[in-house]
Amino acid sequence: MAYRKTEHYDETVTNGLMNHYKEILNLLGENSEREGLLKTPERIAKAMQFMTQGYEQNAVEILNSAKFHEPISEMVIVKDIELYSLCEHHLLPFIGKAHVAYIPNGWITGLSKIARVVDIFSRRLQVQERLTVEILDAIKEALQPLGVAVVIEAKHLCMMMRGVSKQNSSTTTSAFFGEFENDRTRSEFMKLISAELH
């Protein structure tokens, strides 16, 4: 039996994007009818829908789908969450990792849901600064915790491939709420995400 990959895409959106990408290839001086490029517009159209699927997802609903009552108030950290996003200024990728923590106030959520929240907001056209705050706001709204902290470290291909062409630069953004605005709690979080505990 032959291999058949099954994916689901909006046909209207796919066809519209394909037409535009075909025209882009021609405007760049390429021949969109040559063998190597014949399926490129379709591939890009589907890739773009995959990489922006976060628009169709609700982070608060995801967190609430695995929300459990627990009478604890100790820091919960999920660190080194891989993220892949598209810079909204150049539509080039930025790639990195997120470190997310919260202090429960009677409610916890499934650990995988924290990673899902990062994915939902990453899979949109983004700037790293807004991405950081959106992750924090979703956790804050769903769990109403005593505190939330988000730190993102990423490399931006718009800086590496074009413009200043700085391959070794990285960008760090952070957002803190509640108990994490306290120096001691924030310092503990920063120490823990920097530590090699393995």
Side-chain angles (χ1 to χ4, degrees):
M1 185 177 200
Y3 168 76
R4 184 176 179 87
K5 188 175 183 180
T6 57
E7 295 177 336
H8 303 284
Y9 297 98
D10 185 303
E11 188 175 347
T12 302
V13 173
T14 300
N15 290 333
L17 288 170
M18 283 171 59
N19 291 334
H20 287 295
Y21 281 119
K22 184 174 181 179
E23 180 64 16
I24 288 169
L25 290 171
N26 291 328
L27 286 169
L28 291 173
E30 264 292 357
N31 173 11
S32 62
E33 298 300 321
R34 72 176 174 86
E35 182 182 8
L37 292 177
L38 272 177
K39 290 196 171 183
T40 297
E42 180 181 2
R43 290 187 189 106
I44 301 174
K46 290 180 176 179
M48 288 301 292
Q49 289 177 80
F50 177 83
M51 291 185 289
T52 59
Q53 65 183 285
Y55 289 119
E56 307 298 321
Q57 299 169 323
N58 186 304
V60 173
E61 288 180 4
I62 291 291
L63 290 166
N64 283 332
S65 73
K67 185 174 171 181
F68 311 102
H69 181 69
E70 286 290 340
I72 61 169
S73 58
E74 301 299 325
M75 192 184 303
V76 178
I77 302 175
V78 183
K79 71 177 194 174
D80 296 329
I81 303 168
E82 295 177 11
L83 69 85
Y84 306 90
S85 194
L86 288 174
C87 162
E88 67 181 32
H89 300 142
H90 302 98
L91 296 190
L92 289 173
F94 64 93
I95 300 165
K97 55 188 177 181
H99 313 292
V100 181
Y102 71 99
I103 299 174
N105 187 22
W107 295 95
I108 62 170
T109 189
L111 297 176
S112 68
K113 304 308 179 195
I114 301 293
R116 287 282 304 278
V117 169
V118 173
D119 279 349
I120 287 170
F121 290 116
S122 298
R123 290 177 179 168
R124 301 177 182 188
L125 303 185
Q126 275 291 9
V127 294
Q128 185 175 328
E129 298 89 337
R130 183 172 67 237
L131 172 60
T132 308
V133 173
E134 285 178 336
I135 294 166
L136 181 142
D137 285 345
I139 295 168
K140 180 180 168 185
E141 180 181 342
L143 301 180
Q144 299 180 3
L146 298 174
V148 187
V150 180
V151 170
I152 294 177
E153 305 168 73
K155 289 185 173 288
H156 293 247
L157 267 68
C158 59
M159 283 186 68
M160 298 167 71
M161 293 178 65
R162 58 165 301 283
V164 293
S165 299
K166 301 300 181 189
Q167 280 73 42
N168 296 314
S169 66
S170 63
T171 301
T172 302
T173 50
S174 62
F176 302 102
F177 160 74
E179 290 294 325
F180 288 98
E181 295 174 290
N182 176 294
D183 286 343
R184 184 175 175 183
T185 307
R186 186 166 62 248
S187 295
E188 180 185 351
F189 165 70
M190 298 301 288
K191 183 178 179 182
L192 286 169
I193 65 172
S194 301
E196 293 293 335
L197 301 177
H198 314 299

